Amino acid sequence: AQSVSQHNHHVILSEAASLELGCNYSYGGTVNLFWYVQYPGQHLQLLLKYFSGDPLVKGIKGFEAEFIKSKFSFNLRKPSVQWSDTAEYFCASREGGSYIPTFGRGTSLIVHP
Amino acid sequence: GAGVSQTPSNKVTEKGKYVELRCDPISGHTALYWYRQSLGQGPEFLIYFQGTGAADDSGLPNDRFFAVRPEGSVSTLKIQRTERGDSAVYLCASSLGLTDTQYFGPGTRLTVL
C-alpha cells in the first residue's frame, strides 16, 4: 500500500516568512499529487494538483509545489506567508489509474501577525 | 451554489448502537466518496460511488460499515454495533467525475461512548 509522509507536523512562522512544507510519497509509478488546505472552521479544499506536464504547479493564494520524481517529493511552497494562511495542510497521492487518494497526516501551520 | 452538506454535524452514541450518517453531494456530481479522519491524522478512504453503485468499498474497515446511494445522489453511511474506536470525523466529498476535483463537506463528528 502506498503511503504519504509529511514530516513537519507543526510549523510556526511570522508573517512574510517563506514557507516550505515537505511531502514524500511511496508509489514508484505514475502518480497524481495534491495539496489540500483546511482553514479554521472550514471544509477541506483543494490548493493545487499535479497530474502531468510542468513539474512546478501553481495553485491558489500564491502557493506552488514542485514534483521531483527522483526524490518522490511534492513540497509545498509560498515565498511570503500571511496570517490568513494559518490552517492545516494535507498532501495526498493517487496512483495513476486509481481513483483512491492516500493522505498524509497533515501539517498544522500557524502564522503570527 | 450549495456545497456538499452532511448531517448530523455531531453524533454522540453509545457503544453497540446503530448510526446513520448522511451526505448530500453537489447537484450533478456523479462521484461520491466517504472518508474517516481520526484525531491528528489525514482523511482515510472508506468507499466511493460512481452513480448508484459502490465502485470500490475496499476501505471499509469491517462488515459493520455499509454505505448506500440508491438514487445516485444522497448517500448514507451506516455503522452497526458501534465501537469506541469508530469515534472520528466522517467526511464526504463529491466530484463531477472520478478524476475531477473533490469538494468536501463539513464532516460529521461521531463520538461513541
Side-chain angles (χ1 to χ4, degrees), chain A residues 5-11 20-23 89 105-108:
Chain A
S5 298
Q6 293 183 245
H7 305 294
N8 314 105
H9 300 312
H10 301 279
V11 174
E20 182 160 3
L21 300 182
C23 172
Y89 292 83
R105 62 179 292 180
T107 296
S108 172

Side-chain angles (χ1 to χ4, degrees), chain B residues 19-96:
Chain B
V19 295
E20 289 190 352
L21 311 180
R22 177 187 167 108
C23 172
D24 279 88
I26 293 172
S27 178
H29 281 194
T30 62
L32 185 147
Y33 286 73
W34 283 100
Y35 299 88
R36 178 168 70 175
Q37 186 173 18
S38 301
L39 193 62
Q41 303 297 319
E44 175 190 9
F45 167 78
L46 296 177
I47 183 172
Y48 78 79
F49 293 84
Q50 174 66 359
T52 59
D56 193 315
D57 65 358
S58 61
L60 295 177
N62 51 59
D63 61 5
R64 294 187 298 105
F65 288 73
F66 189 71
V68 296
R69 194 186 186 198
E71 297 178 357
S73 177
V74 171
S75 176
T76 304
L77 178 66
K78 307 180 180 192
I79 311 174
Q80 298 178 322
R81 305 183 304 281
T82 52
E83 299 177 357
R84 292 194 180 89
D86 298 336
S87 296
V89 175
Y90 288 81
L91 296 170
C92 176
S94 72
S95 59
L96 272 173

Side-chain angles (χ1 to χ4, degrees), chain A residues 36 38 43-46 49 51 88 90 94 98-106, chain B residues 4 33 35 37 40-43 45 48 56 58 91 98-99 101-102 104-106:
Chain A
Y36 287 86
Q38 187 166 23
H43 309 177
L44 200 62
Q45 60 182 289
L46 183 68
K49 62 184 177 183
F51 279 22
E88 190 88 16
F90 295 91
R94 188 177 69 190
S98 167
Y99 302 116
I100 300 173
T102 298
F103 284 81
R105 62 179 292 180
Chain B
V4 177
Y33 286 73
Y35 299 88
Q37 186 173 18
Q41 303 297 319
F45 167 78
Y48 78 79
D56 193 315
S58 61
L91 296 170
L98 291 172
T99 59
T101 297
Q102 292 187 22
F104 283 80

